[in-house]
Structure formats: C-alpha cells, structure tokens
C-alpha cells in the first residue's frame, strides 16, 4: 500500500520513523512519501519537505509566518493529489494537519490521525471538526479515550510510541569517553528543536553553567541544526553538543533542564530528575493563558494529574530560578527521591511498548476495508 505521512516536528519525525518501521514489518509492499525529517528518511521512501522548514510555535510566531505556512500547505495538498496514496497518516502538528485532513477527506482519501491534538486543553469544540474530517484517531494518552467519548467519538488507544523508541535504544559504549572524559556528573540541557525556542531558552540554561563547576553540562542538539548554530550562544564555553544521541545523554545524566514538549516525558521515562522551561512571545503567552484550561503544560504533570516536576514558564524561566531548581534536583535528597518515586508511578501508567506496531496494524486493517 501507499502511505503518505505528515510530521511537522522533531517528535513527529521520531514517531513517524517508528511507525514506518512497523508498517514495513507488516506490509512488505509498503511505499512511503512524507513531510518529516532525518529519522523518517532513514526508513526509506521519499521526503517532500523537512520539518525544520515548517515548525513555528506560538500565536504571534505563526501569524508572522503565515505566508510560508500556507505555501507549505499548498505543496502538501498538491503532492497528495499527485501521488494518490491509499491512506494519509497525519502525526500530531494539528494546526497544519487538520487543514490537510479536511482537504484529503473531500478528495476521498482515508484519513488517519496519529497522536491526538490537545483538544482537551483548549477550544474543545474542535472535536466536532475532527469527527468530520478524520476517519480514525489513534490516541497515546489514556485519558483521551474518555474525553473523546464525551463528544460521541470512538477512538483507538494504542499506548505511547515513546516507549517503543526507548525500548529500541541501544547505548553507545563510547559516549562517556567522547563527551565526558573528566568523569563529572552530567547535567543535560535540552533546549528544543525549533529555532525560536532554542534562541530564547539556551542562553538562560547556559547562564547557570559556571555555578555548577563540578558537573559537566552537555547540550542535546536538534538534528536539523549544525554545531555552528549553537556556537553563537556558547561564548567560548567548553560545553559539548551531541546530535542524534539524546537518549545516550539522558541515560547518563544526573539532572536535566528541558524545553516544554515531548522531551519532558522522555526525560522522565529515563528517570532523570528534571525541570520544564518555556519562553514564548509575550502576546502568545498572554493569549495561551487566556484560552488554555489546564493546570499544567508538561506531559508528566498532565498524565500524573499533579505537580511532579517544576514548570518554569515565561518570567519564571530565568537564570536564578533555573539555578535554584537545579540545586534542589542535585542536592535536596528528599525532593529528588520524591520525583524519582513519581517516575516509577508514571511507568505504571504508561504501560508497555508496542504503540507503533498496534497503530500500524490498525492502519492496515482500516485501509484494507476502504
């Protein structure tokens, strides 16, 4: 079968790559065309556009880049029509992908949506559009099934694909020798995958490095950027940047400072004490605070429904607060242990690996019935 996938962020690239692997295992004749990134490219098929050219985060940031966004949407629509896939698989990235879903539905293409938009957080009436334009929704958070049920929509809960990626991870035996020859304890810095968030968060993260001389800071670089991009923030500091080795970094880290997003959950699943940081355009933050109806923005806190990790957002995200929280994570034994116990409970809630294989099976099943 012919599968057209659309992923617009680093996390979508990861999940898309694992899904492609699972589809190939179950459908030896699988053909792929996609919007994605390096990880999806490694699985074969044809990439149409790299997500690095598409990811804009925040209300104002999106508004300032509308021309480019609409150009990307048109490219995607035209390419789908030209290729005529058996099924369209949209991976998260709802602002873009729900437009593509509506177009594909009108053109008689089966629409599967993998990783639900966060409709439970704000503007819940978007479910009505989802019911209209999405044929099958595959959810990765347990509470989403009941949420959709309240709106009269049946969805498939497939588990969380991060568990697949972590389960498949094989540590590099050379990582410590290459990036931490001094043998110091490691503090991981994960400043995100978008240019906007890196430029806003990394300077604040780097501002604390001199205050923890007994630790080795290491930056997880986004694969869509080169080392030279990060060098502009380092001011000659001797801080390694690792690419395509985030799991190696997390498996060796003593604590982490993490940009809001999927990486927060990944870090917790590696049982690394962490804090969430986020800074956006002030107007975007103001709008978000007015419309978002949830207590937390971090997936760890949302899944656990309590304050497991500290969320440092906007004005609370600064060198002083990051330093204070790192002190707690590293040196306050009871604080650190309480977080680690919460991560054990998170493991239980998350369940077992296999989301990619389950999703692939359902896509093939639904496509066969088309």
């Amino acid at each position: 079968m012919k599968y057209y996938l659309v992923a617009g962020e680093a996390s979508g690239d990861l999940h898309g790559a694992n899904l492609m692997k699972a589809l190939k295992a179950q459908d030896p004749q699988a053909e792929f065309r996609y919007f994605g990134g390096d990880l999806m490219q490694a699985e074969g098929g044809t990439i149409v556009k790299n997500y690095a050219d598409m990811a804009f985060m925040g209300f104002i940031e999106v508004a300032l880049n509308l021309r480019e966004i609409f150009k990307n949407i048109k490219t995607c629509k035209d390419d789908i029509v030209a290729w005529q896939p058996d099924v369209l698989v949209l991976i998260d990235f709802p602002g873009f992908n729900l437009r593509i879903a509506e177009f594909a539905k009108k053109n008689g293409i089966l629409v599967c949506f993998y990783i639900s938009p966060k409709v439970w957080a704000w503007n819940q009436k978007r479910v009505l559009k989802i019911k209209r334009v999405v044929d099958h929704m595959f959810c990765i958070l347990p509470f989403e099934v009941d949420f959709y049920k309240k709106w009269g929509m049946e969805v498939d809960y497939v588990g969380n694909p991060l568990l697949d990626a972590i389960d498949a991870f094989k540590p590099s035996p050379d990582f410590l020798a290459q990036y931490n020859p001094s043998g110091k304890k490691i503090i991981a810095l994960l400043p995100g995958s978008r240019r906007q968030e890196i430029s806003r968060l990394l300077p604040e993260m780097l501002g604390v490095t001199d205050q923890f001389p007994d630790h080795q800071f290491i930056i997880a670089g986004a694969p869509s950027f080169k080392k030279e991009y990060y060098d502009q923030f380092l001011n000659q500091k001797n801080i390694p940047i690792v690419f395509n080795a985030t799991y190696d970094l997390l498996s060796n880290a003593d604590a982490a400072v993490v940009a809001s997003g999927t990486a927060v959950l990944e870090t917790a699943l590696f049982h690394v004490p962490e804090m969430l940081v986020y800074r956006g355009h002030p107007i975007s933050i103001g709008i978000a605070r007015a419309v978002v109806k949830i207590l937390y923005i971090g997936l760890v806190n949302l899944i656990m429904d309590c304050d497991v990790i500290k969320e440092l957002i906007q004005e609370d995200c600064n060198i002083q607060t990051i330093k204070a929280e790192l002190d707690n994570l590293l040196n306050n034994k009871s604080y650190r242990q309480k977080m680690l116990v919460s991560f054990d409970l998170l493991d239980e809630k998350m369940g077992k690996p296999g989301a990619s294989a389950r999703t692939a099976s359902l896509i093939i099943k639904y496509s066969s019935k088309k």
Side-chain angles (χ1 to χ4, degrees):
M1 275 194 291
K2 294 167 69 176
Y3 304 90
Y4 200 109
L5 295 84
V6 182
E9 300 168 294
S11 60
D13 182 35
L14 171 67
H15 301 324
N18 285 325
L19 180 58
M20 289 168 68
K21 193 178 297 181
L23 285 166
K24 285 190 293 185
Q26 299 180 42
D27 176 10
Q29 305 303 314
E31 297 178 58
F32 300 105
R33 196 169 174 88
Y34 47 87
F35 279 44
D38 295 346
L39 297 177
M40 291 172 73
Q41 268 192 286
E43 293 301 322
T46 302
I47 186 167
V48 180
K49 196 165 190 67
N50 196 294
Y51 74 80
D53 302 322
M54 315 170 44
F56 303 104
M57 188 177 187
F59 296 97
I60 296 302
E61 293 82 354
V62 168
L64 292 173
N65 290 279
L66 277 176
R67 177 176 290 185
E68 187 65 23
I69 291 168
F70 284 121
K71 181 181 173 184
N72 291 336
I73 289 171
K74 185 178 186 308
T75 298
C76 189
K77 288 178 178 179
D78 290 346
D79 199 57
I80 288 169
V81 170
W83 200 55
Q84 284 297 301
D86 294 296
V87 57
L88 173 67
V89 183
L90 304 169
I91 304 170
D92 203 358
F93 203 45
F96 187 98
N97 274 340
L98 285 177
R99 290 176 180 269
I100 301 301
E102 187 169 23
F103 171 81
K105 183 76 170 177
K106 287 177 181 175
N107 283 270
I109 296 169
L110 183 72
V111 178
C112 292
F113 209 111
Y114 182 35
I115 305 175
S116 168
K118 297 175 179 62
V119 285
W120 32 265
W122 66 284
N123 192 9
Q124 294 187 359
K125 288 186 178 179
R126 285 181 297 166
V127 177
L128 299 176
K129 179 177 181 179
I130 291 171
K131 285 175 69 175
R132 192 175 74 252
V133 304
V134 173
D135 294 302
H136 301 285
M137 175 67 73
F138 306 119
C139 293
I140 66 169
L141 298 173
F143 61 81
E144 291 175 330
V145 177
D146 288 337
F147 170 80
Y148 275 104
K149 222 172 241 182
K150 290 176 185 174
W151 287 87
M153 184 175 176
E154 293 295 320
V155 300
D156 291 294
Y157 174 64
V158 294
N160 200 292
L162 285 181
L163 298 174
D164 298 7
I166 293 171
D167 187 56
F169 164 63
K170 292 180 174 56
S172 166
D174 304 321
F175 182 83
L176 290 176
Q178 185 174 357
Y179 295 107
N180 187 31
S182 66
K184 294 179 179 179
K185 289 185 176 180
I186 293 171
I187 297 175
L189 302 180
L190 282 68
S193 60
R194 301 178 182 89
R195 191 179 300 273
Q196 295 156 326
E197 58 187 346
I198 294 169
S199 64
R200 286 174 177 148
L201 294 173
L202 189 53
E204 303 295 332
M205 294 178 175
L206 293 172
V208 307
T209 56
D210 291 339
Q211 300 173 66
F212 295 89
D214 295 331
H215 288 78
Q216 175 65 63
F217 287 80
I218 301 177
I219 298 167
S224 50
F225 294 98
K226 304 292 185 187
K227 179 182 180 297
E228 289 71 26
Y229 174 72
Y230 292 91
D231 286 342
Q232 64 184 301
F233 303 106
L234 291 178
N235 295 321
Q236 309 302 316
K237 288 185 178 182
N238 183 26
I239 298 177
I241 305 157
V242 303
F243 294 93
N244 300 310
T246 301
Y247 284 4
D248 280 301
L249 174 56
L250 291 176
S251 66
N252 288 286
D254 200 44
V257 187
V258 188
S260 177
T262 305
V264 172
L265 181 55
E266 289 176 294
T267 302
L269 292 172
F270 272 93
H271 287 221
V272 180
E274 63 172 318
M275 71 188 81
L276 176 156
V277 293
Y278 180 74
R279 290 175 75 94
H281 192 287
I283 296 177
S284 293
I285 294 293
I287 295 170
R289 283 174 170 164
V291 301
V292 172
K293 305 302 180 187
I294 52 176
L295 293 175
Y296 312 107
I297 68 169
L299 282 175
V300 174
N301 292 342
L302 282 166
I303 294 167
M304 297 300 292
D305 196 26
C306 63
D307 198 353
V308 174
I309 64 172
K310 182 78 75 178
E311 297 186 355
L312 302 177
I313 303 168
Q314 206 61 358
E315 60 272 9
D316 292 330
C317 174
N318 57 61
I319 293 171
Q320 291 72 32
T321 54
I322 292 172
K323 178 189 178 297
E325 185 59 14
L326 263 181
D327 269 329
N328 272 330
L329 295 175
L330 296 168
N331 304 315
N332 186 328
K333 291 183 179 179
S334 62
Y335 185 85
R336 181 183 177 89
Q337 185 58 31
K338 182 181 177 184
M339 188 176 293
L340 290 172
V341 169
S342 294
F343 290 167
D344 288 333
L345 297 174
L346 175 68
D347 288 342
E348 293 178 21
K349 284 203 172 193
M350 292 295 291
K352 302 293 183 185
S356 301
R358 286 188 286 270
T359 304
S361 296
L362 288 168
I363 290 171
I364 292 169
K365 172 185 166 185
Y366 293 140
S367 301
S368 300
K369 290 180 177 178
K370 182 183 171 186

